[in-house]
């Protein structure tokens, strides 16, 4: 099967550098699938599950924000957060989800900025917990 070079970079440094047959991510406008031979392309990333197929095997990850760039057949994903499914701490993800839900129960006592931050934390926690259910 044909492949493309994929680099995944986070604020902590180079996360992945190798070949991939496909990459599925959540852009801010919806789902995007990158396959070998994809046209040059740049898009901001949203929050969601990512799927990377390498060597015929699928790996899932939580991908939170960043940019995706395809240039001359090479793909670079620059993520704010990128965690492979097996690296996610299920208990920690569940605690974050519960805390965000509790915070939003008192929405009336929060400022618009506090609501926005709590909703973002809730979305991140939902992505991470959804991956731990499938582990």
């Amino acid at each position: 099967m044909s492949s493309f070079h994929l680099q995944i970079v986070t604020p902590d440094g180079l996360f992945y550098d190798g070949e991939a047959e496909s990459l599925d991510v959540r852009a801010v406008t919806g789902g995007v699938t990158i396959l070998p031979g994809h046209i040059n392309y740049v898009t901001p990333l949203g929050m969601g599950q990512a799927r990377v197929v390498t060597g015929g095997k699928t790996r899932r990850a939580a991908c939170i924000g960043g940019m995706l760039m395809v240039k001359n057949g090479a793909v670079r994903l620059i993520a704010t957060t990128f965690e492979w499914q097996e690296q996610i701490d299920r208990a920690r993800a569940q605690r974050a989800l519960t805390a965000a839900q509790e915070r939003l129960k008192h929405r009336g006592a929060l400022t618009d900025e506090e609501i926005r931050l709590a909703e973002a934390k809730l979305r991140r926690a939902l992505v991470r917990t959804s991956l731990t259910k499938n582990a």
Side-chain angles (χ1 to χ4, degrees):
M1 177 172 246
S2 62
S3 63
F4 55 88
H5 189 79
L6 172 63
Q7 282 188 331
I8 301 172
V9 180
T10 70
D12 294 328
L14 186 61
F15 186 87
Y16 176 84
D17 189 8
E19 295 299 301
E21 288 99 47
S22 72
L23 169 68
D24 295 316
V25 292
R26 187 86 169 139
V28 294
T29 57
V32 174
T33 298
I34 305 297
L35 298 171
H38 198 286
I39 63 169
N40 289 346
Y41 177 74
V42 176
T43 190
L45 296 173
M47 292 185 204
Q49 290 189 26
R51 284 187 303 282
V52 179
V53 178
T54 62
K57 295 183 181 177
T58 301
R59 292 190 77 186
R60 297 180 190 286
C63 181
I64 311 296
M67 293 293 292
L68 174 68
M69 178 180 72
V70 180
K71 185 174 180 184
N72 301 327
V75 179
R76 179 172 269 195
L77 187 154
I78 303 168
T80 303
T81 302
F82 197 94
E83 283 181 282
W84 293 122
Q85 181 177 30
E86 62 273 12
Q87 295 173 324
I88 296 172
D89 180 332
R90 179 184 302 208
R92 181 174 171 245
Q94 187 58 51
R95 284 192 307 271
L97 176 63
T98 301
Q101 290 169 330
E102 286 299 316
R103 181 97 167 125
L104 288 169
K105 282 183 182 176
H106 307 288
R107 190 178 280 271
L110 302 175
T111 66
D112 289 346
E113 179 67 12
E114 289 170 329
I115 291 170
R116 188 184 66 73
L117 290 173
E119 287 173 343
K121 287 179 181 183
L122 177 65
R123 288 191 301 276
R124 282 192 300 272
L126 286 169
V127 169
R128 294 177 80 240
T129 57
S130 71
L131 280 161
T132 65
K133 290 176 185 170
N134 301 327

